[in-house]
Amino acid sequence: LSKSVMSVNMPFPDRVKGAVHLNATRSFIEDISAKRSLRMITYGSFPLYLALFEPVTAARSIFLQDIVAFQQAHGPFLFTVSGGIAAIVFFIGYMIILNEYPFSIIKAKSDVIEGPYMEYAAKYRAVVVLTRGFFMFVLGAIFSVLFIGVPPTIFSPAILINIIVALIFVFMMGIFSAFTPVFTNRQLLPTILSATLLGILSIVIGLL
């Protein structure tokens, strides 16, 4: 279906010989989705990266073992001022990375065909969906390690905390997505910029 009539915005110009708009430029959904994806890759992921860096600045170490040990000695980062701000930034980045409302510009519901996923079908689409599910759990586990100090250990009851945190994020994402409209490009950039500034603020507070 790539570069076909099904991926052209309607109404599309006629290319038949003798048509009025013979050489008109046509905009394909794949191209629009690629531009949206590039925007999300270039600056959409900044809030999540900054939120992940805040525990590093607080623990003064890049090693997960040191970050977990610091939280076991001083309490979870989540209950500090900088940690609370970083947790909010993390959730915003979580929504952006997963392309959920209101940051769903890659696969907007206004598209008749689902943007970059239009050609995925059967087992290939299943791989995309499964990968997304694993990614949601991994992000929840990362939050548990960096902000609560509970690493995921399969043969330990503590893994229940990781699962609960992952489920809480999923429920929060569902509730937040249900009551927010899709941001346009004009709304997306200021929101991401604000979240990025909050992430920088949390890092500065963590360094103090």
Side-chain angles (χ1 to χ4, degrees):
L1 298 177
S2 180
K3 301 292 185 180
S4 67
V5 173
M6 292 187 67
S7 65
V8 182
N9 288 342
M10 301 293 285
F12 56 88
D14 194 354
R15 301 183 67 183
V16 178
K17 184 177 180 180
V20 179
H21 304 288
L22 181 61
N23 297 319
T25 302
R26 300 196 299 176
S27 179
F28 295 91
I29 289 179
E30 294 95 328
D31 296 335
I32 297 174
S33 297
K35 293 176 182 178
R36 293 173 180 173
S37 300
L38 182 60
R39 293 191 189 101
M40 299 301 284
I41 292 172
T42 51
Y43 58 80
S45 55
F46 284 166
L48 182 65
Y49 297 151
L50 291 172
L52 294 177
F53 192 71
E54 193 280 332
V56 173
T57 59
R60 303 297 195 275
S61 175
I62 63 173
F63 298 104
L64 294 179
Q65 182 178 359
D66 296 336
I67 295 174
V68 171
F70 183 87
Q71 292 182 89
Q72 291 176 350
H74 299 86
F77 289 132
L78 182 61
F79 303 124
T80 63
V81 176
S82 60
I85 297 174
I88 296 174
V89 176
F90 183 93
F91 179 70
I92 295 174
Y94 177 90
M95 299 280 291
I96 294 173
I97 292 296
L98 291 174
N99 190 38
E100 280 293 334
Y101 282 173
F103 307 102
S104 180
I105 66 169
I106 297 178
K107 190 188 70 173
K109 299 305 179 185
S110 58
D111 292 341
V112 178
I113 305 174
E114 294 187 344
Y117 303 118
M118 63 175 294
E119 295 185 12
Y120 288 130
K123 59 183 179 181
Y124 302 106
R125 187 175 182 85
V127 170
V128 174
V129 175
L130 286 174
T131 303
R132 174 184 169 84
F134 282 122
F135 192 38
M136 293 166 68
F137 177 77
V138 169
L139 288 175
I142 291 175
F143 184 88
S144 300
V145 175
L146 296 181
F147 289 86
I148 304 177
V150 180
T153 305
I154 297 178
F155 300 106
S156 172
I159 196 173
L160 294 176
I161 297 178
N162 304 117
I163 296 174
I164 291 172
V165 170
L167 291 176
I168 289 174
F169 269 98
V170 172
F171 290 142
M172 289 175 59
M173 179 181 67
I175 294 172
F176 193 74
S177 299
F179 296 99
T180 53
V182 179
F183 282 168
T184 63
N185 289 326
R186 292 182 179 180
Q187 298 166 330
L188 184 67
L189 181 58
T191 303
I192 293 177
L193 181 60
S194 300
T196 301
L197 293 176
L198 277 178
I200 296 174
L201 176 63
S202 68
I203 292 175
V204 172
I205 295 175
L207 289 173
L208 297 178

